[in-house]
């Protein structure tokens, strides 16, 4: 279903490839083939060794809440989604990324385990959503 909500606008070829993969249900990070470092978001050079020899690596989809916030009064186009729980997730692979957590504001806490709960996304709905795993 098309959305009137703003979506990310890729500014580089790497971002375009990343969001296309996400839209196809393949959430991924970058893996440096020279030094084995993994990072996110993808960029031309590895931030650890500056090699440009890297590839996309699919993630398992599990991680730990590093930090979070609850947005009770979002901008008008997201008003129907309120309250929105937005979190920084430390993926089990190491890198951190931001996404929504589908839960009540009171249920989330730093250290909670989460997994991706994102059905196949379309190119006009690319919001990563996680769900809390049982304690
Ligand atoms: Zn590297």
């Amino acid at each position: 279903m098309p959305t009137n909500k703003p979506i990310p606008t890729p500014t580089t070829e790497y971002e375009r490839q990343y969001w296309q993969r996400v839209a196809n249900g393949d959430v991924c990070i970058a893996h440096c083939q020279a030094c084995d470092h993994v990072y996110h978001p993808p960029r031309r050079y590895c931030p650890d060794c500056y090699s440009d020899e890297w590839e996309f690596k699919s993630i398992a989809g599990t991680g730990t809440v590093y930090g979070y916030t609850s947005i009770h009064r979002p901008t008008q186009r997201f008003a129907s989604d309120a309250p929105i729980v937005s979190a920084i997730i430390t993926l089990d692979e190491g890198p951190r990324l931001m996404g929504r957590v589908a839960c009540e504001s009171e249920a989330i806490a730093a250290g909670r385990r989460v997994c991706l709960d994102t059905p196949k996304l379309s190119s006009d709905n690319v919001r990563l959503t996680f769900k809390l795993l049982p304690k």
Side-chain angles (χ1 to χ4, degrees):
M1 169 191 284
T3 180
N4 65 348
K5 297 174 183 173
I7 60 173
T9 304
T11 58
T12 67
E13 177 60 19
Y14 319 109
E15 290 175 2
R16 188 195 64 71
Q17 290 177 26
Y18 170 77
W19 286 111
Q20 185 58 55
R21 284 176 171 264
V22 170
N24 290 329
D26 181 22
V27 181
C28 51
I29 54 178
H31 170 240
C32 177
Q33 295 171 306
C35 74
D36 210 32
H37 184 65
V38 288
Y39 55 95
H40 182 78
R43 58 195 84 151
R44 181 172 185 158
Y45 298 105
C46 169
D48 212 38
C49 74
Y50 306 109
S51 169
D52 64 353
E53 298 290 322
W54 63 271
E55 62 190 357
F56 284 107
K57 177 182 178 185
S58 299
I59 63 170
T62 51
T64 304
V65 175
Y66 177 77
Y68 63 93
T69 189
S70 295
I71 305 164
H72 293 270
R73 293 186 184 207
T75 59
Q76 187 174 6
R77 288 200 271 181
F78 291 95
S80 63
D81 297 354
I84 298 170
V85 177
S86 183
I88 298 172
I89 307 297
T90 304
L91 298 172
D92 288 347
E93 292 84 355
R96 291 184 176 134
L97 58 76
M98 181 170 269
R100 288 185 181 190
V101 180
C103 69
E104 298 297 323
S105 302
E106 300 78 20
I108 193 166
R112 285 293 305 266
R113 294 283 297 158
V114 294
C115 70
L116 264 178
D117 185 28
T118 306
K120 186 171 180 177
L121 300 170
S122 66
S123 59
D124 58 0
N125 180 17
V126 292
R127 286 170 187 79
L128 298 179
T129 303
F130 291 83
K131 65 180 178 183
L132 294 175
L133 291 172
K135 288 183 182 177

